[in-house]
Every structure is written in C-alpha cells, then in structure tokens.
C-alpha cells in the first residue's frame, strides 16, 4: 500500500520511484505445497485482504502483484504482474508504517524469490519484498 500525501487527489497522484510502499500481506506457497495462484484460481479470481487495524485515515493505493516463476531459474526470468486500486481509509486510526520501498527498486537480481527454480525447489518459497507491516 502507499498513502497519498495529504491534500492530494488520489486519482492524480503518481508516486513515481519514491519509496512510499509498504506491505500488509503476502502469500506464496503453503506448507502443504499449494501455490497462492492455485488458491486464486480456486476462488474464481477473488482474493481478500485485511487492512491493518488502526491505520491512519487517508487516500491509499493498494498494489497487488503476482510473480510468475515459470522462467525464474535465472535473472531476469521472473515476471511481475502488478495491479493497483485506490481506496479511502476512514476512522480514527493513528498508526502508520515506518519502512517503505519503491517500485521499481524493491527487487533486484539478488532478491530472494526473484531468482527461484520452481522445477527443482520443493521447499518453501522466499517471498520477495519488505516485511509485512501489521
């Protein structure tokens, strides 16, 4: 997610390469070996996420991404498919994250999970990006 600066119209805000993004959720591969994409397919393309309690009110962009790993055994094989939605958070929350990343810039060729061989790695998947803010 990214919070638009106060007084900015979210429909006109372009964060560019500024470090404004924080993570509120992540899913990769379950302990039983089921990939998040299969869960998304099983739910007819629907995914739910909970906004952290107490998040300060304002206009935000939620950035959802799917990272395709079918060619990620070498860099730059991973394919990143982001999608964004604009939302308004209301209420009396006063919490805000303190650590942010930029897009592009959050991932490099040495970021865990960006180079990953799905055909030979049978263990857990190291989800790239910052830690989840809760």
């Amino acid at each position: 997610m990214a919070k638009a600066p106060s007084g900015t119209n979210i429909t006109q805000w372009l964060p560019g390469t500024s470090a404004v993004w924080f993570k509120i959720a992540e899913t990769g591969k379950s302990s039983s070996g089921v990939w998040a994409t299969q869960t998304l397919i099983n739910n007819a393309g629907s995914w739910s996420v909970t906004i952290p309690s107490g998040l300060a009110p304002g206009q935000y962009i939620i950035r959802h991404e799917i990272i395709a790993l079918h060619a990620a055994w070498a860099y730059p094989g991973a394919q990143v498919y982001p999608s964004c939605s604009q939302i308004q958070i209301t209420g009396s929350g006063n919490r805000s994250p303190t650590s942010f990343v930029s897009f592009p810039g959050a991932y490099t060729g040495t970021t865990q999970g960006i180079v990953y061989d799905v055909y030979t790695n049978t263990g857990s998947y190291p989800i790239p990006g910052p830690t989840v803010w809760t």
Side-chain angles (χ1 to χ4, degrees):
M1 289 181 70
K3 185 177 183 183
S6 182
T8 302
N9 181 337
I10 191 76
T11 63
Q12 298 174 353
W13 180 52
L14 300 173
T17 58
S18 298
V20 295
W21 299 96
F22 61 98
K23 187 186 286 189
I24 63 166
E26 65 183 15
T27 306
K29 185 176 168 185
S30 73
S31 59
S32 61
V34 177
W35 287 94
T37 49
Q38 187 60 55
T39 303
L40 186 63
I41 292 166
N42 293 348
N43 291 332
S46 178
W47 197 275
S48 295
V49 65
T50 300
I51 304 296
S53 176
L55 183 63
Q59 296 183 18
Y60 289 81
I61 297 176
I62 292 182
R63 180 184 185 276
H64 175 269
E65 72 182 15
I66 294 175
I67 302 176
L69 299 171
H70 60 281
W73 61 84
Y75 186 78
Q79 299 171 16
V80 180
Y81 297 94
S83 180
C84 295
S85 299
Q86 301 159 344
I87 63 169
Q88 175 76 39
I89 302 289
T90 60
S92 58
N94 61 1
R95 298 180 56 234
S96 295
T98 57
S99 181
F100 303 93
V101 297
S102 62
F103 288 103
Y107 309 143
T108 69
T110 59
T111 301
Q112 281 193 341
I114 293 299
V115 174
Y116 184 85
D117 190 339
V118 295
Y119 305 106
T120 61
N121 289 317
T122 58
S124 62
Y125 169 66
I127 299 172
T131 57
V132 174
W133 180 76
T134 56

